[in-house]
Amino acid sequence: MPQGQEIVSILRRHGTPYFFSKIIPGLFGLAAVPIFARLYGFEGYGQIMLLLALGNFITVFSGGWLCQSWIRFQMTWVEKRQLFKAGILSTAVAAIILVCIFFILGLIKHDNWNPTFAQFYPVIFMTIGMLFYYVIHGGLQSALQSKQVLIISVLSSVLSLLFPIITFLFTENINGFIVSYGLAYFIAAALGMFLFPHKDLSYHSSNSDLNHWIQYGAPLSIWLALQALIPFIDRIIIQLYLGSDMVGKYSALSELVMRGFSLILFPMTMAIQPIMIRYWNTNHQSKAITLWHQVLKLIGIILLLMGIIYFFVNDWALIILNKFLGASHQYSSTFLLLIMLSGFFWQANLLIHKPLELVKKTTLMTVYLITALMIMVMISIYSIAEFGLLGVATASLMAAMVYCVLSLFKGINIFKQKMYSIK
């Protein structure tokens, strides 16, 4: 197939369902930001976003190894007993981590944030629901069931918007939001299990050993957890230094931008990742390498086009955003640009680091991300007193760029060596 046509073929086949599996939930997510910010106020919305970030962190830490191993080794229903054991293990780990976190937070007394243990039960319910959905979503993606992914994605997005609104009519307590949000994910995940192809597929996994899944996936789980810590860290720093109101204002714009970029880049990631992995697993490494190079070119083109569009519409975008969110704090063009670049590169990094993932250098990925997070924390703490939210946004962008550069140069070197060995 001529160069450049293969990525078009893949995106045409799987990209459309994945695109709609992101754009429909994304649109509901975009609508949810101003709705919940206005219902709960920026202070309540900020607390909600902190708890959601905490739940997401625990989800990917406890279940990331299983989800990524499922995609990497592409297990079928033949391994259902092992998958069930892995699911129980992930749930137990999530519960233990959450108990420890709430115990530690209970010992920390701070004027700006002091979560109570009463929030533990709603958060653990939500986290297990998110974990259940996260793993089933990965399994469907591994089985190349893009239409089923679309179905459960749309259902979860609709319910996660509808249920909290209904709950708010009866109670304005944040715990009600958390429980209803978790219930939405439980229902979507249950449907995903029902839709999963239970018949043996023509392709069988290369390894069905639970210990091997843990060995491969544990570093990735740490990496995913560290990535999930990014929104939690910047928000907790803002919480401690500036308070819940500013967390809500930062989260509102950040969520809008991140959801917007995920509509563009995440469908590419979901469509290309299983194909690239299958090429690599079936000794067609040269095809995987060519596909990755095509992805890099496409990312560059998207960034260029978005930069041109932003240059012409940034003033109008600021006016619309400030009215849309109803914020007393007026966002600046500099802050919006920093948030947009940060969101873009964090999304693009999921594709840029694929060479390291394919050759199982997941520990190195984790080292790179730890380096990036350390830079983000240091810049945030150093600059937040003087620059406020602008300093935090700058820190996030710097971290994204550091991880991008490290992964890109290492990935180019890995594939150069692989192509040399193939020849």
Side-chain angles (χ1 to χ4, degrees):
M1 184 177 291
Q3 187 174 4
Q5 289 187 12
E6 183 174 17
I7 190 171
V8 174
S9 176
I10 292 171
L11 292 176
R12 185 179 298 166
R13 180 181 177 186
H14 295 290
T16 300
Y18 285 138
F19 174 74
F20 283 106
S21 73
K22 289 304 295 183
I23 193 170
I24 296 176
L27 291 174
F28 277 96
L30 289 173
V33 173
I35 290 174
F36 295 142
R38 290 173 181 271
L39 286 178
Y40 291 91
F42 280 112
E43 183 174 352
Y45 183 72
Q47 294 180 33
I48 288 171
M49 294 311 297
L50 273 171
L51 294 173
L52 290 183
L54 176 61
N56 188 51
F57 159 69
I58 296 172
T59 294
V60 297
F61 182 79
S62 59
W65 65 274
L66 173 55
C67 184
Q68 293 302 311
S69 294
W70 201 336
I71 294 173
R72 178 64 176 84
F73 301 112
Q74 299 184 319
M75 288 89 78
T76 66
W77 202 245
V78 172
E79 292 89 7
K80 58 181 178 294
R81 291 186 178 179
Q82 292 285 73
L83 289 170
F84 180 76
K85 291 179 182 178
I88 295 297
L89 176 61
S90 293
T91 303
V93 170
I96 292 171
I97 293 174
L98 196 55
V99 169
C100 294
I101 289 177
F102 266 81
F103 178 76
I104 294 171
L105 291 176
L107 298 177
I108 300 174
K109 303 296 181 183
H110 197 282
D111 293 338
N112 283 340
W113 196 45
N114 186 23
T116 64
F117 198 77
Q119 293 175 327
F120 169 75
Y121 297 106
V123 173
I124 195 170
F125 177 81
M126 177 192 70
T127 302
I128 294 175
M130 293 170 68
L131 174 63
F132 187 19
Y133 174 86
Y134 178 60
V135 172
I136 295 299
H137 187 283
L140 290 171
Q141 184 185 353
S142 173
L144 305 181
Q145 301 296 309
S146 52
K147 293 181 180 179
Q148 283 76 5
V149 170
L150 170 60
I151 293 172
I152 67 169
S153 298
V154 171
L155 180 62
S156 66
S157 63
V158 172
L159 296 183
S160 62
L161 174 63
L162 183 61
F163 283 0
I165 292 176
I166 294 174
T167 304
F168 184 83
L169 299 176
F170 297 94
T171 174
E172 298 180 12
N173 191 287
I174 292 174
N175 287 346
F177 178 100
I178 298 299
V179 171
S180 61
Y181 195 85
L183 180 61
Y185 278 95
F186 266 113
I187 293 174
L191 178 62
M193 273 198 77
F194 177 78
L195 295 175
F196 191 85
H198 292 179
K199 295 182 179 179
D200 295 346
L201 305 178
S202 58
Y203 178 84
H204 294 284
S205 60
S206 58
N207 198 306
S208 60
D209 179 54
L210 179 59
N211 292 328
H212 192 75
W213 301 350
I214 296 174
Q215 183 180 2
Y216 167 78
L220 270 178
S221 220
I222 296 172
W223 185 92
L224 289 165
L226 290 172
Q227 187 195 41
L229 269 180
I230 295 169
F232 184 72
I233 289 174
D234 58 22
R235 285 158 177 77
I236 198 66
I237 290 174
I238 297 170
Q239 176 77 43
L240 297 178
Y241 282 87
L242 303 177
S244 297
D245 186 63
M246 296 304 286
V247 175
K249 291 169 182 175
Y250 180 89
S251 299
L253 183 59
S254 179
E255 284 293 306
L256 283 174
V257 171
M258 289 296 291
R259 289 177 186 275
F261 280 122
S262 69
L263 300 182
I264 300 170
L265 294 176
F266 204 66
M268 287 173 50
T269 305
M270 296 177 68
I272 292 168
Q273 178 174 314
I275 304 297
M276 190 180 293
I277 288 174
R278 184 158 297 188
Y279 282 154
W280 198 266
N281 290 349
T282 54
N283 295 319
H284 292 91
Q285 286 88 352
S286 60
K287 289 186 177 181
I289 294 171
T290 300
L291 186 57
W292 184 69
H293 287 145
Q294 295 171 9
V295 167
L296 292 182
K297 293 178 182 178
L298 188 56
I299 288 174
I301 292 171
I302 292 172
L303 180 60
L304 178 61
L305 290 175
M306 296 189 68
I308 294 172
I309 294 172
Y310 176 80
F311 178 79
F312 289 103
V313 304
N314 67 87
D315 290 336
W316 287 101
L318 276 174
I319 295 173
I320 293 171
L321 281 172
N322 284 314
K323 290 185 177 180
F324 188 56
L325 295 174
S328 56
H329 171 85
Q330 296 294 296
Y331 300 109
S332 66
S333 59
T334 303
F335 181 62
L336 176 60
L337 179 61
L338 289 171
I339 289 290
M340 289 180 65
L341 289 174
S342 174
F344 179 87
F345 280 105
W346 279 125
Q347 288 289 327
N349 284 336
L350 297 175
L351 288 166
I352 291 171
H353 73 201
K354 281 303 167 191
L356 285 79
E357 189 177 335
L358 288 173
V359 298
K360 302 180 183 179
K361 290 188 176 293
T362 50
T363 301
L364 186 59
M365 289 167 52
T366 303
V367 172
Y368 287 168
L369 190 54
I370 290 174
T371 303
L373 286 178
M374 289 174 62
I375 292 172
M376 186 183 81
V377 171
M378 289 188 292
I379 295 176
S380 293
I381 294 176
Y382 178 78
S383 62
I384 191 171
E386 183 175 356
F387 299 103
L389 297 182
L390 200 64
V392 179
T394 301
S396 180
L397 174 59
M398 291 299 296
M401 291 298 297
V402 166
Y403 185 82
C404 175
V405 171
L406 291 174
S407 300
L408 180 61
F409 280 101
K410 185 63 177 179
I412 291 172
N413 185 51
I414 288 171
F415 277 172
K416 276 186 177 179
Q417 293 178 358
K418 189 64 182 179
M419 287 298 291
Y420 180 78
S421 65
I422 292 173
K423 293 178 180 179

